[in-house]
Amino acid sequence: MKKLTLLLTAFYISVCSLIAQEYKIPVAEDAEKMKTGKYQPTWESLKKHSTPEWFRNAKFGIWAHWGPQCVEGSGDWMARSLYIEGTREYKYHVEHYGHPSEFGFKDILPLFKAEKWEPEKLVAKYKEIGAQYFFVLGNHHDNYDLWDSKYQRWNSVNIGPKRNILGEWAAAARKYGLPLGVSLHSDHAWTWYEPSQRYDQNGPKAGVYYDGKLTKADGKGKWWEGYDPQELYAQNHEMSEFSWNNGQIHRQWAWGNGASLPTQEFVTNFYNRTLDVINRYKPDLLYFDVTVIPFHQISDAGLRIAAHFYNSNPNAVMFGKILDSEQRKALTWDVERGAPNEIVEEPWQTCNCIGGWHYNTSIYERNRYKSASTVIKQLVDIVSKNGNLLLNIPLRADGTYDDKAAVIVDGIGEWMKVNKESIYDTRPWHIFGEGPVAEKVIKLNAQGFNDGQYGNMDWRDVRFSQTVKYLYATAMGWPEDGVITIKSLAKGNKYFKKSISHVYLLGYGKLKVKQTADGLVVTLPKPVNKIAPVLRIKK
């Protein structure tokens, strides 16, 4: 009995410890109050929310992952990398703009002009090529807000383009009837900007600190006089353990392994900014680049954001990464640059990009964009597994995409115009597909990061989707001899009981087929599109 009592006591202490850890940094609701209603800030309550049917039907969204980090064309995370001595981004910044002790990321912000940006024109184009929802970057790890923020003076209305980027994107999305998504990433500025506290270890500037520790007082007589750099960089704290190890941030992303923990003021500021977006711009979707939800391991902020969002919009979608099976009942799972190789019961999403998340001139010059063919094949594969694809088209700092991206955008539109019925409003079949890639064991790496293993799909790989009336079979390419044999539709198969004598090739017409013990043998005409044939089979 004594042993049982000790065990129960230990269990109780353990549970209390976990609860205390979860709420170690509770938000202060002096400025923004969580909306009350059906949902409470607990996992049990949030699990009552289901991913809405409109999202399951949509399948394809476009993301404008765009902000001041596009100014130098150095790619994603440049506002961190420019402070890492010896990197390509650091060298470029020093050569073209100055040393980060004298010209840091704060000084890049006024150079973000968005002078050719036409949000309505872009959103209209994205809808034309098939997007069913549209995502906007609200802020990134650089901690700069792209709207007239109530809680961050370093924003796009005060500094840079002097325009309400989020507000104008939102108006364009509403005009064209696209649900609006907003992604918010600034919760990690605390650790992400830590290299700005460093200094060069070599060369003429060795030992000279970068600008990450500057304060409002240092701005006297400067262009940024009156602004506090710490409201941007958030570096008035001790660095995380092993912070000079440039890869350590990935091991500390979930606020463990020696990460410097943020203050209540920092956590609350992110909470206030997020509720500001929800209350004023009424998004339908929210995305966070975090493990599970913002500050999940140390604060109640993320749970409160979710409850506020769902109570504000019962048909909302809130994404989380690296979710367990229970958390996927409360949030919609997002997989970054990858996909599971199986049908997932709950609706989910892949976020991906034709190039880098922020505009990267090097990717353009080296012709390293994903082709329209690659994008479409990944979309078809994702849809067959009950997922959606959110695709970023990188914009230059002036607010336009380049000529090579234009070819890809148009290529996506050409295929979707004819074959969209096999994508929208569909559901998975009994199996997602067949072929060499379908049969591979493809594991996720952390948030995802396995899309390279789907890059070699060809006509032998077939993916399925269905509506009440039709089964769609999409081959991931056109065979040279014009013949496809779909093994899963062989005579006597256990999934499709009716005999099949005809199929309809989208963009062409009816085809005669032969159903044998080896499979459904389909002889195709000359290619009617440049990417993948879609067969429609009446149930």
Side-chain angles (χ1 to χ4, degrees):
M1 185 67 179
K2 183 178 180 181
K3 186 175 181 180
L4 177 61
T5 302
L6 289 173
L7 287 171
L8 289 172
T9 301
F11 175 75
Y12 175 78
I13 293 171
S14 176
V15 169
C16 290
S17 176
L18 286 172
I19 293 172
Q21 174 67 18
E22 184 176 3
Y23 296 99
K24 188 172 184 178
I25 309 174
V27 296
E29 292 193 299
D30 298 333
E32 296 287 344
K33 302 289 186 182
M34 184 192 79
K35 184 178 179 64
T36 58
K38 176 180 178 180
Y39 300 101
Q40 302 300 316
T42 67
W43 286 109
E44 284 304 311
S45 178
L46 296 174
K47 283 194 293 186
K48 298 174 185 176
H49 183 271
S50 299
T51 302
E53 287 297 294
W54 75 259
F55 178 77
R56 299 191 71 186
N57 292 334
K59 305 301 182 187
F60 181 48
I62 294 287
W63 193 359
H65 191 287
W66 175 61
Q69 288 185 79
C70 299
V71 167
E72 296 191 24
S74 297
D76 202 33
W77 283 35
M78 63 75 58
R80 172 181 164 88
S81 297
L82 74 85
Y83 294 107
I84 300 177
E85 184 182 10
T87 62
R88 177 178 58 86
E89 296 87 346
Y90 167 92
K91 292 175 181 177
Y92 185 89
H93 180 82
V94 169
E95 180 181 353
H96 293 86
Y97 297 92
H99 191 264
S101 64
E102 302 164 350
F103 196 104
F105 186 68
K106 71 180 186 314
D107 303 292
I108 290 294
L109 299 179
L111 305 181
F112 176 49
K113 300 293 189 183
E115 61 269 26
K116 297 181 181 179
W117 177 53
E118 299 179 81
E120 286 194 10
K121 182 178 178 181
L122 287 167
V123 172
K125 180 64 176 180
Y126 297 150
K127 182 173 183 178
E128 178 188 324
I129 70 166
Q132 298 295 290
Y133 54 103
F134 177 68
F135 248 93
V136 182
L137 184 69
N139 54 39
H140 200 248
H141 311 312
D142 59 24
N143 212 21
Y144 171 86
D145 284 353
L146 289 152
W147 74 96
D148 57 336
S149 179
K150 292 166 60 177
Y151 302 100
Q152 172 57 292
R153 293 188 66 209
W154 298 83
N155 66 61
S156 63
V157 176
N158 292 339
I159 301 170
K162 305 293 180 70
R163 294 173 69 176
N164 186 339
I165 303 293
L166 171 53
E168 292 188 47
W169 277 130
R174 301 301 185 207
K175 178 176 179 177
Y176 290 100
L178 294 181
L180 174 69
V182 179
S183 69
L184 298 160
H185 310 237
S186 66
D187 54 310
H188 270 88
W190 186 268
T191 51
W192 191 82
Y193 262 135
E194 283 186 4
S196 70
Q197 296 192 44
R198 299 181 188 175
Y199 48 83
D200 282 3
Q201 295 181 296
N202 305 286
K205 294 281 189 180
V208 179
Y209 281 93
Y210 304 150
D211 72 335
K213 286 287 222 178
L214 293 179
T215 65
K216 187 175 182 178
D218 296 310
K220 189 173 182 179
K222 307 282 179 49
W223 74 262
W224 47 275
E225 184 173 358
Y227 285 85
D228 185 353
Q230 289 313 305
E231 292 179 2
L232 180 70
Y233 295 143
Q235 291 309 299
N236 193 17
H237 63 84
E238 294 294 321
M239 296 169 75
S240 301
E241 293 180 16
F242 310 110
S243 184
W244 280 76
N245 177 347
N246 297 326
Q248 185 70 5
I249 189 171
H250 301 291
R251 292 183 283 276
Q252 296 174 336
W253 203 249
W255 302 104
N257 297 318
S260 172
L261 296 187
T263 61
Q264 184 183 50
E265 180 184 15
F266 181 84
V267 171
T268 299
N269 179 261
F270 178 80
Y271 173 82
N272 288 340
R273 287 152 76 182
T274 302
L275 264 60
D276 184 34
V277 167
I278 295 170
N279 295 340
R280 294 168 63 195
Y281 298 105
K282 314 296 183 189
D284 302 287
L285 312 98
L286 278 182
Y287 171 106
F288 303 98
D289 190 9
V290 298
T291 302
V292 188
I293 52 178
F295 306 111
H296 167 58
Q297 299 76 11
I298 57 174
S299 176
D300 61 346
L303 291 172
R304 288 185 170 276
I305 289 169
H308 180 87
F309 189 38
Y310 291 163
N311 284 329
S312 300
N313 183 353
N315 288 314
V317 180
M318 180 164 153
F319 297 100
K321 297 182 179 182
I322 316 181
L323 304 179
D324 63 30
S325 58
E326 289 300 298
Q327 291 163 344
R328 291 183 203 174
K329 295 176 182 177
L331 305 171
T332 301
W333 183 34
D334 180 84
V335 179
E336 183 173 351
R337 290 189 182 273
N341 210 23
E342 61 184 355
I343 296 174
V344 178
E345 182 179 356
E346 300 288 342
W348 59 282
Q349 174 183 267
T350 287
C351 61
N352 214 322
C353 182
I354 64 169
W357 288 118
H358 279 103
Y359 192 80
N360 191 319
T361 305
S362 177
I363 292 176
Y364 171 83
E365 292 173 343
R366 292 182 294 132
N367 295 314
R368 298 297 297 272
Y369 283 150
K370 289 181 174 69
S371 66
S373 177
T374 296
V375 171
I376 288 297
K377 290 176 185 179
Q378 290 187 350
L379 171 64
V380 171
D381 178 71
I382 289 162
V383 167
S384 74
K385 300 168 183 174
N386 203 29
N388 289 23
L389 172 62
L390 175 62
L391 181 70
N392 177 45
I393 307 296
L395 299 178
R396 293 172 289 204
D398 66 7
T400 63
Y401 53 74
D402 59 50
D403 59 317
K404 295 176 183 178
V407 172
I408 297 164
V409 168
D410 289 341
I412 293 169
E414 289 173 11
W415 190 90
M416 289 289 284
K417 184 177 181 179
V418 175
N419 299 288
K420 60 188 176 184
E421 67 175 81
S422 66
I423 302 295
Y424 306 144
D425 303 322
T426 62
R427 297 292 181 268
W429 195 44
H430 298 281
I431 56 174
F432 73 85
E434 64 178 51
V437 175
E439 295 164 6
K440 287 172 62 177
V441 176
I442 300 178
K443 295 183 178 180
L444 297 170
N445 177 21
Q447 298 99 306
F449 300 114
N450 65 2
D451 67 337
Q453 297 194 59
Y454 293 99
N456 59 347
M457 292 184 288
D458 60 26
W459 59 270
R460 296 171 297 170
D461 265 286
V462 177
R463 297 293 179 268
F464 301 107
S465 62
Q466 66 173 334
T467 60
V468 173
K469 192 174 181 180
Y470 297 114
L471 171 68
Y472 296 93
T474 303
M476 300 299 204
W478 295 82
E480 289 187 8
D481 64 1
V483 179
I484 294 174
T485 300
I486 303 175
K487 298 177 183 179
S488 303
L489 295 176
K491 185 178 291 186
N493 77 85
K494 62 181 179 180
Y495 300 121
F496 199 94
K497 301 300 183 181
K498 291 173 61 176
S499 61
I500 305 171
S501 58
H502 295 86
V503 301
Y504 188 92
L505 174 63
L506 300 188
Y508 178 81
K510 189 176 288 188
L511 302 174
K512 288 186 177 181
V513 297
K514 186 176 182 181
Q515 197 172 23
T516 71
D518 295 323
L520 183 69
V521 182
V522 182
T523 301
L524 298 168
K526 291 181 180 180
V528 297
N529 66 61
K530 299 176 182 178
I531 298 175
V534 181
L535 303 175
R536 186 177 71 195
I537 304 165
K538 191 172 182 179
K539 289 182 176 179

